[in-house]
């Protein structure tokens, strides 16, 4: 079979035959296994479907024998309703499906992987992303920020039936975005060999576009607080209209308004989750100034400018990262003990550890003071199995909380669909958390832990994740939060309060006047170490620094975030501040945040004094 | 705080209940009219909804807390000034109902302790969620009603998935208004609470 496949490399036509033959083979096996004519019939029809797929894909590949990845609209290949509930793909060998998948464009792969659990790992297979320069991005960290995913899907202009059909098969499909603007349309340009440089641009552009929508939505979201302009009323009406179900007409409508006069219309499409909730007041003021002469065109130009600047920044950052990979691999990691305290390492960590080497650097930074061995991990795994079977009352500690873990797994980064029941890392995350609960029955499982375990698992393997999680949490700061020790937490809250007073006096006063105490946002931020509040790539960048410098970075980051939104937090009313603090906008920029963070130089000694730690 | 007050009265409503009973689902169904697989709630989620009841503009601050039992320690922040409490349980999970029962004590005590006002000023609702899964029902309506009756609180059943029973927000708003006028008869807000309980037509929501 493998020889055959090799020969097939350049000739899609043969694959077709191969599939046919495999199909008939399957046919015969199913015949012999099952004499009922019904089953044979269904298998036949399935084979027909398979052939259809292959026919289409081979047509699309070029005739000169080189495999091109031409964009094929997924809907030309099969109707989703045919696919739902069939065992169509079970008849094919994985290698064949992989071959078939290799004809698809990246955008389509992202749809395909959401079709069923069997296709998912296949559509994520390394070999399909060979031409992707940022392979590490997809394969190594598997962290896909939601705007990117949404862009992929939105580029596949689907009709409502198809959207509904996909919704049936995957419960957490990101809200489908609107058809893409002319000048942003990307995928339709048939590039034989798509490279990431072009697609990154596209992504950037489109995700930027999304953000505009988000903002306008959230503007609307908070608008109810002041029943002022007629604009808001109409957009409210609009939003109500299109809530819940996607309706093409309303989609187009809101889309048009959005593109014409950015923030007055409300695209309620994305209201489903907390990524989009908050509105910096900024949007409101933008809107006001817009009515005062700022034409939509000018706004548009500004947005474009901003977009280009961000794009440039991101490119520079990526380039820096790429260059630093070499330094990490050849110099720092082999000589870790000597290098770890050098200024160079500190600088490199501050700019962010490249995701390629994170898997090596994180364990080094965190260390293993607890001396956890693989055996220990296995032992606690076994103990967790036993704890699951035993009734809760029999255990002395909080081992019983293992039963809570499975409730939270699917709710951990649900948009990634990696930790769902059928997701690739579901069991791993369960193993890590269960082992931890049995390792520290005094702590038990507390909500928030699954986020930590999950982000470790996105980067590290199971055992290393366990080591890192255990060692990280073995720290008075996290411990007091996870055990909800109010007295100990109070110390950290007071520290945060006085840091705010010292560095952001205006914000501090305004929040205090409104009765918003640091615990409103700090509890969530500390428990999940920003992994829930910030976009994943940004959160892992914060983690890099936390592993380097300890919990002081949490407070620095918190101050950085507050400073970033200080304009709103100094004047906005209670509802806006609360919403902002509990749902940070999804468009926080990496460079902006870290610039803001670096502006706070907290003296480690003073900080230790604040939290009552003797050095 | 805000100079241009866009509402006449503000109520804080908190959600309590075991993990995974659907607290956030009810909230997001009400606030965004969405039902989706969500993140787990850590602490706390905050939502605002403005409603108009009998010409009174009411701002509902909805606080939603993670169901993890450890979070109960955080009562202080959470219950401060709460005027309405939803105790949510999953009708298919007996333990979540029992937890609500045992929790009622703790909750009233916390509200008492942190609020500085008497617990009877606060409106409690017992909510049985997930009626769409009624086939697996483990808690009967009778026993839930019995518990709520003996504690003089209201019991409602909802399904966040099928968007049924969301009348609970309207209902609790009316009850809170009523309680508010009882407690502070001198209040500047004149309440014309209509005794005729024809429900939905009276309540218009706006985003």
């Amino acid at each position: 079979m493998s020889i055959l496949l090799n020969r097939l490399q350049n000739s899609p036509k043969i694959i077709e035959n191969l599939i046919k033959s495999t199909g008939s083979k399957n046919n015969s096996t199913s015949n012999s296994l099952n004499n009922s004519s019904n089953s044979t019939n269904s298998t036949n029809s399935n084979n027909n479907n398979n052939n259809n797929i292959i026919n289409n894909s081979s047509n699309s590949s070029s005739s000169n024998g080189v495999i091109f990845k031409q964009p094929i609209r997924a809907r030309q290949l099969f109707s989703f309703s045919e696919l739902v509930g069939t065992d169509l793909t079970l008849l094919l060998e994985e290698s064949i499906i992989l071959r078939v998948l290799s004809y698809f464009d990246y955008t389509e792969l992202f749809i395909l992987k959401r079709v069923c659990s069997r296709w998912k790992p296949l559509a994520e297979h390394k070999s399909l992303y060979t031409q992707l320069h940022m392979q590490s991005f997809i394969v190594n960290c598997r962290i896909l920020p939601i705007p990117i995913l949404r862009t992929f899907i939105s580029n596949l202009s689907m009709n409502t039936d198809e959207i509904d059909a996909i919704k049936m098969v995957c419960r957490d499909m990101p809200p489908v975005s609107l058809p893409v603007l002319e000048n942003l349309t990307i995928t339709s340009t048939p590039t034989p060999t798509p490279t990431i440089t072009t697609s990154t641009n596209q992504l950037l552009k489109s995700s930027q576009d999304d953000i505009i929508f988000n903002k306008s939505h959230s503007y609307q979201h908070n608008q109810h607080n002041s029943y002022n302009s007629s604009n808001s009323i109409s957009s409210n009406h609009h939003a109500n209209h299109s809530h819940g179900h996607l309706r093409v007409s309303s989609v187009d409508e809101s889309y048009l308004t959005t593109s014409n006069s950015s923030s007055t219309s409300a695209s309620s499409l994305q209201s489903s989750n907390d990524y989009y909730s908050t509105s910096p007041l900024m949007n409101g003021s933008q809107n006001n100034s817009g009515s005062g002469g700022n034409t939509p065109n000018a706004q548009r130009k500004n947005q474009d400018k901003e977009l280009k600047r961000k794009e440039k920044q991101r490119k520079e950052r990526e380039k820096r990262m790429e260059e630093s990979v070499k330094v990490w691999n050849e110099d720092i990691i082999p000589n870790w003990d000597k290098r770890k305290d050098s200024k160079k390492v500190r600088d490199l960590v501050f700019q962010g550890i490249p995701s390629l080497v994170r898997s090596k650097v994180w364990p080094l930074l965190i260390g293993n003071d607890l001396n956890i061995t693989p055996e220990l991990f296995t032992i606690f795994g076994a103990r967790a199995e036993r704890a699951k079977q035993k009734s809760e009352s029999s255990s002395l500690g909080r081992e019983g909380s293992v039963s809570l873990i499975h409730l939270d797994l699917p709710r951990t980064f649900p948009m990634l669909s990696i930790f769902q029941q059928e997701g690739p890392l579901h069991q791993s995350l369960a193993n890590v958390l269960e082992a931890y609960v049995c390792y520290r029955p005094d702590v038990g499982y507390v909500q928030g832990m699954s986020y930590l375990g999950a982000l470790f698992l996105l980067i590290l393997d199971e055992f290393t994740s366990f080591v890192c999680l255990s060692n990280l949490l073995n720290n008075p700061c996290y411990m007091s939060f996870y055990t909800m020790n109010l007295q100990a937490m109070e110390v950290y809250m007071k520290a945060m309060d006085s840091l705010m007073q010292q560095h952001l006096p205006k914000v501090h006063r305004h929040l205090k006047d409104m009765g918003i105490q640091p615990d409103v946002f700090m509890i969530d931020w500390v428990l999940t170490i920003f992994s829930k509040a910030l976009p994943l790539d940004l959160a892992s960048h914060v983690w890099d620094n936390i592993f380097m410098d300890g919990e002081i970075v949490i407070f620095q980051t918190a101050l950085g975030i507050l400073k970033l939104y200080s304009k709103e937090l100094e004047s906005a009313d209670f509802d806006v501040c609360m919403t902002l603090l509990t749902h940070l906008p999804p468009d926080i920029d990496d460079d902006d945040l870290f610039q803001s963070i670096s502006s706070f130089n907290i003296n480690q000694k003073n900080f230790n004094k604040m939290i009552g730690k003797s050095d | 705080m805000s100079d241009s007050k866009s509402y006449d009265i503000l109520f804080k409503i908190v959600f309590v209940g075991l993990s995974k009973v659907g607290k956030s689902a009810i909230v997001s169904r009400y606030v965004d009219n969405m039902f989706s697989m969500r993140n787990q709630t850590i602490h706390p989620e905050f939502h605002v909804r403005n409603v108009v009841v009998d010409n009174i503009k009411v701002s509902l601050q909805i606080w939603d807390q993670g169901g993890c039992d450890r979070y109960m320690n955080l009562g202080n922040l959470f219950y401060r000034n709460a005027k309405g409490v939803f105790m949510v349980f999953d009708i298919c999970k007996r333990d979540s109902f029992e937890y609500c029962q045992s929790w009622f004590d703790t909750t009233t005590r916390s509200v008492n302790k942190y609020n500085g006002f008497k617990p009877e000023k606060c409106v409690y609702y017992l909510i049985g969620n997930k009626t769409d899964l009624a086939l697996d029902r483990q808690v009967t309506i009778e026993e839930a009603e019995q518990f709520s009756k003996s504690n003089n609180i209201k019991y409602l059943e909802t399904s966040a998935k099928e968007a049924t029973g969301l009348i609970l927000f309207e209902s609790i708003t009316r009850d809170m208004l009523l309680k508010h006028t009882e407690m502070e008869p001198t209040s500047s807000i004149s309440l014309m609470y209509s005794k005729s309980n024809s429900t939905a037509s009276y309540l218009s929501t706006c985003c």
Side-chain angles (χ1 to χ4, degrees), chain A residues 83-147:
Chain A
L83 212 116
V84 179
T86 62
D87 54 352
L88 175 94
T89 59
L90 294 177
L91 298 168
L92 292 176
E93 266 184 49
E94 287 193 358
S95 54
I96 297 171
I97 300 181
L98 261 184
R99 250 328 60 244
V100 176
L101 290 184
S102 72
Y103 289 97
F104 284 86
D105 189 64
Y106 296 138
T107 47
E108 277 128 15
L109 286 176
F110 279 91
I111 289 228
L112 290 169
K113 82 175 194 187
R114 297 187 152 253
V115 168
C116 76
S117 55
R118 176 136 194 265
W119 284 22
K120 198 164 176 298
L122 292 172
E124 284 173 345
H125 197 272
K126 250 187 219 174
S127 64
L128 299 175
Y129 298 95
T130 43
Q131 285 153 338
L132 214 55
H133 289 174
M134 268 176 59
Q135 212 191 73
S136 62
F137 178 74
I138 306 266
V139 182
N140 268 0
C141 39
R142 278 166 292 177
I143 294 172
L144 272 185
I146 216 65

Side-chain angles (χ1 to χ4, degrees), chain A residues 376-385 399 402 405 428-441 462 466 469-470:
Chain A
L376 198 69
F377 180 52
T378 337
I379 291 169
F380 284 120
R383 214 173 268 185
E385 278 309 310
E399 266 139 343
V402 282
I405 292 175
S428 307
L429 183 55
N431 293 345
V432 169
L433 293 174
E434 284 168 7
Y436 183 76
V437 168
C438 292
Y439 173 63
R440 288 299 300 261
E462 236 175 78
F466 176 67
L469 181 71
S470 313

